[in-house]
Each structure stands twice: as C-alpha cells, then as structure tokens.
Amino acid sequence: MALHAHPAPGPAETTQHLAALAAQHATAADTERRLAPDVVTALVDAGFARHFVPAAHGGTAGSFTALAEAVRTIARGCPSAGWTAMIMATSARLAGQLPQAGRKEIWGQSADVPIAAALNPGGSVRRVADGWVLSGQWFSLSGIDHAAWALLCVTAPEDGEQYYCAVPASRFRIEDTWFTLGMRGTGSRSAVLDEVFVPGRLSAPRDLVWQGRADGPADALAAPLPAAHPPLFAAPVVGAARAALDLWARTESRTGPDRDAVLTRSAAEIDTAVLLVEQACLRLDGRGPADGPDTARNGRDAALAADLARTATDRLFRARGSRAHAAKDPVQRLWRDVQTASSHAAVDAGRSNSLFATTFRASLPNHEES
C-alpha cells in the first residue's frame, strides 16, 4: 500500500464517501474476516493513520471530536471499517509517546503509517544492553493485516514493569486467531515473534504512555488513555447501532403503535449515545490533558453510550422476528457487531462505575451533620 501525505479525516463528503465504500464491502468483510484492500487504502488516504501523529512528524495532531464523528459515520457503512479507522488513529497516538528517535524511525518518510497495537501484555521478553528481545504471541491486533508496525506490550521479568515496543511488519508473522461472533472484518489476528530485537528508542514504559507523560509532545497525546480511549471505542458501537436502526426502519413493512414505539425508543437511545460520546470528546479537546473527574466522566459516558447502543440494537433485533436469525440478514450482522464491540474493556461499565463512584463521592462537600 502506497503511503502519501493526506489531511485529517473529513470533510463530511469524504467521510460519507468512505462510509458508502465500506458499506459495499461490509458483507464480504464479515464473511472473509478482513477488510477489502480498497477500504483500507481509502482509510489511510483519508488521514486516519496520521490523525494523532505529532505535527513535528508531519501528522495532523487532530481532535478527538473530529475523529469520533468520522468513525461513527464510517461505522454506519461498516462497523469493522469504522473500528479499524479508530484503531489506526489511537495506535498512532500511543506510538507518539515513544522517544523522539523512535518516532522519527516510524514516521521519518510519511505520517501515513498504519499501526496496530496490543494494549495488553503477551509473549515473553528479556532485557539486553541496548533494548529488548521479544518472542511469543500477542493477540487481538485489529488491522494487523494492513499494519506497517505493531505496538506490543511486554512485561519485564526482573521487576514486572510493562513497556510498549514498536516492531516493523517485516519482523513478525500473523497468525489467524480471529474467529468471533461479530466485528469479524477487523481481522484482529495475532502477531508472532521469534527472538526479535527491539532497540530502546522504540520502547516506552506502559504506565507513562497511558498517562500521556512519556516522551511525546504535549497536545492530544497528553490525554491519559483512560480518558481518551473510552469515547473513541464507543464511537463505532454507536455508528453500528444507528446503521441497524436505519436498516430496520427501511425494511420493516409492518406498522402500528408497537412498531412505532420500537423505532422511537431505539432512536432516542442512539441519539443520547451520540451526545454522550460528543460530550466526552469535547472535554478532551477543550481542556487539554484530562483530570481525574474528566477521566471518570468519560469512562462513565462512554460505557453508557455503548450500553444504550446495545440496548437499542437488541430491541430492533427482537422486533425483527424470525428473519433476523437468517444467516445473511444484515440486521443480524449489525447486532453481532454491536454485541462484540460493546464488550471491549474500554467501554466496560464495571470499571467505569467504580472509578466514577469513587471520584463522585470524593467531590461531595464535607458537611458535618448537626
């Protein structure tokens, strides 16, 4: 895939064109468990891979709001394409925390470099004088088929500290381990390495990367991952739910008060989910690095947005009747995608509930009872 300089995602007509292109290939992406090359090329050309790349390296250093809106729109055409667009951007945001020499190695020739990331540790690692040696398997790297680099999390055996290491595609092989209920088109397969050396310039401590306090510039990269990831990961879920709503409304021939209630309630829930994602992204764009309360609210709002999207899609699926169970029913495919995407840890309600409750209680005035 050729890499060229392109702007950030947008304008709206470009995103709509991408959604239409992705929609044409959505059924095949589900069946073949990978995106069509034309769709991937279009995502890179639209600027998703460079969206969070620092401006010093030729990137856009773009906003969270613009990305979430574009991802949601593309997900209405194909949820897997919207998810992959989001992963391109968020993986680059993490790689932007690598040391400057490492960033230059990745983006020295172009900012349009697709990166896949394994957020959780895998494989094994040993420390050597100038870096690390990695072996083993890392799971669930969305877009790995098309990635030029993989960002892999490792655990240092001597102290248990975790690090992210960037590895070029020429140094790992892909193993097909992605057999799932939904989001099949993301092709979230595994990366397998055998004694691959990673120099220190291509690694950074995981804790500092998550906090936005490693070596990257102080822009969108500085937003801590627990605040930044949830609304972005919720965006394709909400887009998929809206696609299910539109399709259900177009293809349901039966009418009546019960059907109208299904449509109205589901539309209201999805509209609310959109607002929650937008609100979370505006916090990130408007205030710089998120503080504790912002992180708690973003996790809460993203989890609720994903839950509302899932609830609405469940209702539409049930109201569709027996035909929703047909293997080729498009509402069923979208329902499967929403079920899978909304189960991601980034929009986990249990985690966000605990964080928000703790933060909320801490913010209450300390009034003594008389």
Side-chain angles (χ1 to χ4, degrees):
M1 174 171 41
L3 300 178
H4 307 287
H6 296 284
E13 57 268 22
T14 301
T15 309
Q16 292 290 349
H17 171 75
L18 262 172
L21 175 65
Q24 293 174 17
H25 296 277
T27 300
D30 181 68
T31 303
E32 299 172 11
R33 297 180 299 111
R34 68 183 71 235
L35 295 181
D38 287 352
V39 174
V40 177
T41 299
L43 293 177
V44 175
D45 287 350
F48 286 98
R50 66 164 47 223
H51 183 77
F52 282 134
V53 174
H57 297 287
T60 306
S63 74
F64 290 91
T65 303
L67 177 62
E69 182 178 358
V71 164
R72 192 173 67 245
T73 299
I74 293 170
R76 290 176 66 175
C78 172
S80 289
W83 185 274
T84 301
M86 180 269 296
I87 290 295
M88 284 184 183
T90 55
S91 297
R93 199 181 80 88
L94 295 178
Q97 290 287 323
L98 293 171
Q100 184 175 6
R103 300 197 304 268
K104 186 175 181 180
E105 185 168 341
I106 294 173
W107 296 307
Q109 295 184 337
S110 172
D112 293 305
V113 178
I115 301 172
L119 295 180
N120 296 316
S124 63
V125 64
R126 71 175 189 273
R127 196 189 299 267
V128 294
D130 299 320
W132 310 88
V133 175
L134 278 61
S135 293
Q137 189 169 23
W138 284 258
F139 291 92
S140 303
L141 282 84
S142 298
I144 187 68
D145 287 332
H146 319 286
W149 289 77
L151 195 64
L152 306 176
C153 187
V154 300
T155 303
E158 60 271 17
D159 56 13
E161 294 296 318
Q162 295 180 343
Y163 295 81
Y164 281 118
C165 296
V167 182
S170 61
R171 303 305 309 277
F172 61 80
R173 65 179 175 86
I174 299 170
E175 185 166 325
D176 191 1
T177 54
W178 189 243
F179 300 93
T180 56
L181 175 71
M183 299 301 286
R184 297 170 179 172
T186 63
S188 303
R189 288 172 251 280
S190 300
V192 180
L193 283 69
D194 183 16
E195 292 288 295
V196 173
F197 171 69
V198 177
R201 67 180 179 275
L202 289 171
S203 70
R206 179 180 183 264
D207 285 348
L208 293 183
V209 170
W210 276 43
Q211 295 166 27
R213 295 195 297 108
D215 197 45
D219 48 24
L221 299 172
L225 183 144
H229 268 196
L232 296 179
F233 277 70
V237 184
V238 177
R242 179 54 194 268
L245 176 71
D246 293 347
L247 184 59
W248 190 91
R250 284 197 304 267
T251 59
E252 281 297 312
S253 58
R254 293 172 291 176
T255 58
D258 291 345
R259 316 301 285 177
D260 292 345
V262 168
L263 178 62
T264 302
R265 178 74 182 195
S266 300
E269 288 169 343
I270 295 168
D271 285 350
T272 302
V274 170
L275 293 173
L276 288 167
V277 171
E278 289 178 344
Q279 176 176 265
C281 289
L282 286 171
R283 288 192 196 103
L284 293 163
D285 289 329
R287 301 183 188 176
D291 57 15
D294 280 347
T295 296
R297 292 187 192 99
N298 277 17
R300 174 202 67 185
D301 290 353
L304 179 56
D307 183 68
L308 288 169
R310 181 174 55 247
T311 299
T313 309
D314 283 346
R315 183 184 300 107
L316 296 167
F317 180 80
R318 293 194 304 272
R320 194 161 175 81
S322 59
R323 63 175 168 159
H325 296 272
K328 295 184 178 181
D329 184 72
V331 172
Q332 185 215 81
R333 172 173 54 80
L334 291 164
W335 175 82
R336 289 190 284 105
D337 285 343
V338 169
Q339 293 296 317
T340 301
S342 63
S343 69
H344 195 279
V347 291
D348 177 67
R351 181 181 304 177
S352 65
N353 290 347
S354 177
L355 177 61
F356 180 78
T358 299
T359 305
F360 184 81
R361 291 189 181 102
S363 70
L364 295 174
N366 186 20
H367 296 307
E368 293 185 4
E369 295 183 359
S370 56

